[in-house]
Amino acid sequence: MRRLAMITATAAAALGATALHAEPLKIGIIESLSGAQTSTGRLYANAVKYGVDRINEAGGFNGEPVIVTEYDNAGGAPDAADKFRNAVADGVHVIFQGASSAIAGQLTEDVRKHNLRNPGKEVMFINLGGEAMELTGEKCQFYHFRYTTTAPMRVNALVSAMKEAGDLGEKVYSINQNYSWGQDMQAAVAAAAQTGGYTVVDEVLHDVNKIQDFAPFVARIRAAAPDTVFTGNWSNDLLLLMKAVGDAGLDVTFATAFLDQPGNIANAGKTALGHYIANNYDNAATDGQFAETYKTATGHYPIFVEGHSAFALGALQQALGTVNFGGGDIGVTKIALALENTTYDSPLGPISVRKEDHQTIRPVVVSKVIENPKYPADDTKMGFATVKVIAGDQAIYPVQDSCKMERPKA
C-alpha cells in the first residue's frame, strides 16, 4: 500500500512538473533593425510586440506567455539567413518579417528547406510586407503566409479609385526599384492600362536604396509630362524621390504604395497634396477605435505598416484559440492549419488567407493627401482622407499558375 502511494505521488509530481514546464510559443522577429531600412523594420517589430502583448494579456498560449525575440538582419538577405539559423537554434516556432521582398524570399526558402529536413519540428513564416508576386507564385509553400497586398491589388485599386475621381488622366509614368517587387509594380501598371484608359509614356527601374539624388529622375518625369506617376518605391528611395519632387516643385499626381511611410509627406511638402496611396490600412477609413487602442498601448497612432501587421497578430491569436496542446509540445503544422481557417474581422472588413497559395484576401484602402485631416502626418497639417475601400473579394486575383503548393500529409 505504501509502495502504491509512493508511485502515485511520484506520478502526480511528474504531472505537476509537466504543467509547470509547458512549452511556450516562441516568436522571432527577423527584421531590418539597423541600416537604411531601420525605420520600417522597427515599425514591423512594434506591431508584432503589440499583438503579442494582446495574446499574453488574454492568458498567453499553451499555459505560458508567448516569448518574442528580435533578430537584426541588417537589411540584407545573407544576414537574414544567419538570423534564421539562430532563431531555429533558439527554438522559435513562428517568424515574422516585412521589410523587403528580397529578404522574404530568402526566409521562405530557408523555412522550406528546414521543414523538409526536420519533420515534426516545422517553423512557420508570417510575411507582413514582402509583396513580390513570386512569394505566392513559384516560391509558394505551405508554411509561408502573406498578410499584405501585392502589386496588382494596389495598382488595380488605385486605377479604379483615381479613374472614378477623375484624377488618373491619360498619360502615366512608372518608376520603380529594380528587383522583384518593383518589376511586379511596373508590370501591374502596364497591365492596367487598358482598363484605366491610359498610355504608359515612360517607365524606369533603378537600383534599390543606392541612389542619393533623384533630381535626374524628376527631370526625366517632367520631360515626359505625365498626368500620373505610379511608384512602388519605399524606404529611402521613396523618401528621397519625394524630396526631389518637392525641391523641383513638380506638379504631377503620384499614385503610390507607401506614401504613408514616415517622412514622405514632410519631404514633399505642399507638393504632396492630391497624391494617392493604395494601402492595407488607413486610420481615417475606420471608426477610430483600434487607432485609439493602439495609441494607448504604444504612445502613438498606428502608422505606415503597423495597422495591418497588428491585424496579422490578431488573426494568429484567433487561430491559437482553436488549438490546444495541453501544455505539451507545440506542433506548428496544427497552428498553420488553424490559421488557414481563420477569418479576422478587422476595422476595415474581413481578412482571411486563401488556402491554395496563402495570399491574404483583404480590403484595400485608397486614400488621398489633403490639408487638415483627422490624423495629420509627419507633424504637418497634411494627411490622408479615404477615397475608396475595395473589399477583399473584389481586390484579389486568381491563384498564379506557378504556385504548386504541397500540403502536409494528414
Side-chain angles (χ1 to χ4, degrees):
M1 189 72 178
R2 182 176 180 181
R3 182 171 180 272
L4 177 60
M6 289 177 64
I7 292 173
T8 302
T10 302
L15 287 172
T18 300
L20 289 172
H21 298 287
E23 182 179 17
L25 180 67
K26 294 183 178 181
I27 286 176
I29 305 169
I30 303 180
E31 197 47 85
S32 303
L33 303 175
S34 63
Q37 301 168 26
T38 302
S39 59
T40 300
R42 177 47 58 194
L43 293 177
Y44 281 119
N46 289 347
V48 172
K49 288 185 175 181
Y50 167 86
V52 170
D53 285 346
R54 304 288 80 73
I55 296 173
N56 286 337
E57 287 172 4
F61 177 69
N62 205 36
E64 293 287 336
V66 176
I67 297 172
V68 180
T69 304
E70 290 184 354
Y71 302 87
D72 180 13
N73 63 44
D79 286 309
D82 289 340
K83 299 305 181 183
F84 174 74
R85 287 189 286 271
N86 292 345
V88 169
D90 292 340
V92 164
H93 303 98
V94 184
I95 62 171
F96 284 85
Q97 181 269 340
S100 170
S101 288
I103 293 175
Q106 175 70 54
L107 288 175
T108 195
E109 183 64 8
D110 289 340
V111 167
R112 187 187 69 81
K113 289 179 178 178
H114 167 83
N115 292 345
L116 285 174
R117 291 192 294 260
N118 298 277
K121 296 182 179 180
E122 289 83 5
V123 174
M124 187 165 70
F125 173 28
I126 297 182
N127 170 9
L128 300 174
E131 300 200 14
M133 292 292 287
E134 65 181 4
L135 295 171
T136 47
E138 59 264 35
K139 288 187 176 181
C140 78
Q141 51 111 348
F142 178 79
Y143 294 94
H144 167 265
F145 289 75
R146 170 153 55 196
Y147 272 90
T148 185
T149 53
T150 56
M153 294 171 75
R154 292 192 189 252
V155 170
N156 293 342
L158 284 164
V159 169
S160 172
M162 293 179 72
K163 187 175 181 179
E164 285 181 16
D167 287 340
L168 183 60
E170 297 180 353
K171 295 193 298 180
V172 161
Y173 191 102
S174 178
I175 178 169
N176 293 284
Q177 295 152 314
N178 192 13
Y179 76 117
S180 53
W181 158 248
Q183 293 159 13
D184 288 343
M185 277 292 295
Q186 180 172 283
V189 171
Q194 184 173 355
T195 301
Y198 59 77
T199 299
V200 180
V201 294
D202 198 1
E203 53 188 17
V204 173
L205 292 172
H206 61 77
D207 290 341
V208 182
N209 286 323
K210 292 182 179 179
I211 297 168
Q212 299 303 311
D213 182 10
F214 275 84
F217 293 91
V218 172
R220 183 169 168 178
I221 293 171
R222 188 191 296 276
D227 300 305
T228 299
V229 177
F230 277 82
T231 183
N233 280 15
W234 55 274
S235 193
N236 277 2
D237 284 338
L238 185 57
L239 290 169
L240 294 176
L241 176 59
M242 287 294 100
K243 183 178 185 302
V245 168
D247 290 345
L250 182 63
D251 184 17
V252 64
T253 301
F254 270 75
T256 74
F258 304 113
L259 186 59
D260 58 341
Q261 177 188 346
N264 285 329
I265 301 299
N267 276 348
K270 292 286 187 179
T271 308
L273 291 172
H275 288 352
Y276 279 79
I277 178 175
N279 200 2
N280 290 287
Y281 174 78
D282 179 2
N283 288 319
T286 72
D287 61 8
Q289 184 175 346
F290 165 70
E292 295 297 339
T293 300
Y294 195 91
K295 183 180 180 181
T296 298
T298 66
H300 66 272
Y301 289 120
I303 56 173
F304 195 26
V305 299
E306 290 180 302
H308 82 269
S309 298
F311 299 156
L313 269 295
L316 177 62
Q317 180 177 3
Q318 192 170 318
L320 292 175
T322 68
V323 179
N324 185 359
F325 296 111
D329 292 344
I330 289 174
V332 168
T333 300
K334 287 186 178 181
I335 296 175
L337 289 169
L339 193 57
E340 275 192 331
N341 290 292
T342 296
T343 297
Y344 178 74
D345 289 325
S346 82
L348 296 171
I351 296 172
S352 60
V353 173
R354 186 165 54 188
K355 291 184 180 181
E356 290 82 359
D357 60 355
H358 287 182
Q359 169 61 42
T360 187
I361 301 174
R362 64 183 315 114
V364 180
V365 185
V366 178
S367 306
K368 184 177 181 178
V369 180
I370 64 168
E371 288 188 294
N372 302 314
K374 183 176 181 180
Y375 299 96
D378 297 341
D379 295 320
T380 71
K381 293 183 179 180
M382 297 179 292
F384 298 94
T386 305
V387 176
K388 185 178 182 180
V389 178
I390 291 87
D393 59 352
Q394 297 174 13
I396 197 62
Y397 49 86
V399 177
Q400 298 174 74
D401 292 338
S402 57
C403 177
K404 310 294 182 185
M405 181 182 290
E406 294 185 9
R407 300 182 60 80
K409 296 179 181 178

